[in-house]
Amino acid sequence: MVDHSIDNVSLDGKTSSRESGGVSIGSKGITIQRLALHNFRNHIATVLEMDARPVCLFGANGAGKTNLLEAVSMLGPGKGLRAASLPSLIRTEAGCAVAGGWAISARMDDCGLDRQISVGLDVSAEGRTRRVAKLDDAAVSQTDLAELIRVVWLTPAMDRVFAGPAGDRRKFYDRQVLAHTPAHGGASAVYEKAMRERNALFERGRADPSWLDALEDRLAQSGAAIAVNRVSAMERIQAAIDARPEGHFPKADISISGKFEEMAFRGDSLQEIEVAIRDTLKAGRGRDSVAGRTLTGVHRSDLVVVHRPKQLPASQCSTGEQKALLMGLILANAKALLEGDFAPNPLLLLDEAAAHLDSVRRAALYDELAALGGQAWLTGTDAGLFDAFGSRAQRFCVENGKVSKV
Ligand SMILES: Nc1ncnc2c1ncn2[C@@H]1O[C@H](COP(=O)(O)OP(=O)(O)O)[C@@H](O)[C@H]1O
Ligand SMILES: [Mg+2]
């Protein structure tokens, strides 16, 4: 869900000065210094203070570690790391949501400047809900949050992304793209809405051609932007993969299968892709009307990942190899985001990523994270999992929704 309700905010992502009538944010060196959760999942009132080093959260299953990563992910645009609905994040007691909603606030260091982000869901006494997003006390939109917070994550739920349905892979990949191109979220929202409306017209069996024209215009414009965004992120990620040292996480060759992404990859312009989508939709009306849905478009594209050393599709690799590929891909994306001078440093959330690695790989991962420059957040059940970091990381013990610094 993308909120375009506040558009008087100008964010150029480069400067650090305030501008009249809006807020402009700083650029590269973003780290969270203080994170506060209020009635978020099993956290009643949790506060963590940290520096720029990797943040290691350890504690028993169910303690509230993933909930903390989820809270960080909510600072960015969209639904966050579990794709949960906003009301489901309200802390429950004996099965009932507590009054008032939830809130997360973060003090960020933005190139030496203090910035305060607050997000949350307010629930009034009458039960009305209101999403809140503020930067330094000024209301901001989802797109503005996307400009400021670039966040990528790896969770155990993503382990089977290469072997699972194309839709999951697309969602996974679009999340990576969003970190590169904040406008990707808006384009996706426009595309999905127009497609739902087009499908509904076919389902009702009386599609007015001029109404179809209008919807297909919207699909063509947003679809072309989506294809171009996906391909430009792919090129950056592939370059970052290629630049990675040979080592513990195998390199991947990535591409996107989809007619319109292939056009973008060949260098066709946005306008050419737009025309191609419009023509394809128009020519496909008969077929789509029989099917009751839109059969071609960027919503059918797929991310194709090949294990380079083995020259094997990722889906055919062993579970361990798939995990290692995925880790390499996420690390490469974090690096790609860091290297572009277009974006703030990414926050990298790695949920339970260390536990399944052997000690050599784990040490290699920590070396990479310590050198990365973006703030990394990791979880694990035992403090000992993070020993190889030495003093290069900070540690917090999570216990029953409470956090203490170690
Ligand atoms: N809305 C909620 N209100 C209260 N507790 C919740 C809510 N949602 C999840 N939880 C609790 O949070 C705990 C899981 O937290 P999680 O962060 O996933 O644990 P872990 O430390 O294993 O990563 C579970 O005990 C779950 O019941
Ligand atoms: Mg967890």
Side-chain angles (χ1 to χ4, degrees):
M1 191 180 67
V2 176
D3 170 16
H4 295 288
S5 56
I6 301 148
D7 14 305
N8 66 336
V9 179
S10 88
L11 300 175
D12 62 15
K14 298 287 172 207
T15 62
S16 297
S17 61
R18 266 180 181 282
E19 288 168 359
S20 59
V23 190
S24 83
I25 52 167
S27 52
K28 296 293 292 178
I30 290 214
T31 52
I32 300 179
Q33 293 188 316
R34 183 177 189 275
L35 181 74
L37 278 59
H38 176 70
N39 284 336
F40 181 86
R41 297 252 191 219
N42 69 337
H43 294 269
I44 301 176
T46 291
V47 179
L48 288 81
E49 307 240 12
M50 71 280 298
D51 53 48
R53 288 176 297 166
V55 178
C56 304
L57 306 167
F58 67 90
N61 289 331
K65 305 179 296 294
T66 304
N67 293 345
L68 282 165
L69 297 198
E70 187 181 30
V72 174
S73 73
M74 294 307 295
L75 297 171
K79 283 184 158 179
L81 166 151
R82 282 192 176 106
S85 73
L86 298 183
S88 71
L89 302 174
I90 305 174
R91 189 172 65 81
T92 56
E93 264 177 14
C96 291
V98 298
W102 57 268
I104 300 163
S105 66
R107 195 181 75 222
M108 324 271 300
D109 175 70
D110 177 8
C111 294
L113 253 156
D114 266 358
R115 287 278 140 120
Q116 184 82 32
I117 293 190
S118 317
V119 297
L121 186 74
D122 277 354
V123 183
S124 71
E126 299 78 44
R128 271 196 301 276
T129 60
R130 189 173 65 94
R131 185 172 185 151
V132 181
K134 284 183 183 170
L135 173 62
D136 298 338
D137 284 333
V140 288
S141 71
Q142 287 279 294
T143 314
D144 299 330
L145 285 182
E147 285 286 353
L148 179 60
I149 303 286
R150 310 296 170 107
V151 51
V152 285
W153 57 73
L154 187 60
T155 71
M158 284 151 65
D159 279 356
R160 302 296 290 163
V161 73
F162 297 134
D168 288 356
R169 225 162 9 253
R170 229 176 7 251
K171 232 178 259 170
F172 159 76
Y173 183 65
D174 279 333
R175 212 349 121 172
Q176 312 307 312
V177 179
L178 184 62
H180 286 268
T181 313
H184 195 63
S188 303
V190 169
Y191 187 90
E192 273 157 34
K193 182 161 183 282
M195 192 175 63
R196 273 198 305 276
E197 287 182 34
R198 186 175 184 269
N199 292 348
L201 288 183
F202 288 139
E203 265 167 38
R204 276 187 243 124
R206 45 181 175 78
D208 166 29
S210 62
W211 188 225
L212 277 175
D213 282 347
L215 290 174
E216 288 168 8
D217 263 354
R218 262 188 266 161
L219 282 164
Q221 271 177 27
S222 54
I226 289 168
V228 167
N229 295 341
R230 283 178 180 161
V231 169
S232 62
M234 186 198 84
E235 288 170 340
R236 289 181 196 146
I237 297 169
Q238 186 68 64
I241 293 173
D242 294 346
R244 283 175 65 74
E246 300 297 335
H248 303 286
F249 303 104
K251 291 191 181 185
D253 287 313
I254 60 172
S255 57
I256 303 163
S257 76
K259 179 177 163 188
F260 305 111
E261 284 85 352
E262 280 152 24
M263 287 180 72
F265 190 64
R266 281 202 309 267
D268 289 354
S269 71
L270 198 68
Q271 286 71 23
E272 286 168 317
I273 301 169
E274 211 178 301
V275 169
I277 297 178
R278 199 179 291 115
D279 290 350
T280 305
L281 288 169
K282 197 158 191 171
R285 282 180 189 177
R287 207 175 54 138
D288 290 355
S289 149
V290 173
R293 65 201 165 93
T294 305
L295 294 172
T296 43
V298 294
H299 60 289
R300 302 296 294 267
S301 306
D302 197 0
L303 173 71
V304 180
V305 178
V306 172
H307 188 293
R308 188 185 294 173
K310 295 204 153 184
Q311 285 297 300
L312 206 61
S315 58
Q316 289 175 29
C317 293
S318 76
T319 315
E321 285 167 340
Q322 291 186 35
K323 283 184 181 188
L325 262 181
L326 196 54
M327 177 68 87
L329 214 149
I330 291 290
L331 289 171
N333 194 25
K335 197 85 178 151
L337 287 161
L338 274 160
E339 276 168 6
D341 60 359
F342 53 91
N345 284 352
L347 299 166
L348 177 57
L349 312 178
L350 301 175
D351 194 20
E352 303 287 345
H356 66 81
L357 297 176
D358 58 56
S359 58
V360 175
R361 277 218 177 82
R362 198 180 300 150
L365 170 67
Y366 296 170
D367 287 347
E368 209 166 315
L369 294 178
L372 191 67
Q375 197 176 39
W377 291 65
L378 297 93
T379 65
T381 43
D382 291 303
L385 273 175
F386 303 112
D387 282 352
F389 263 127
S391 62
R392 297 174 300 171
Q394 53 207 314
R395 294 160 178 79
F396 295 87
C397 175
V398 186
E399 213 172 352
N400 201 13
K402 292 194 171 57
V403 180
S404 48
K405 189 155 191 170
V406 180

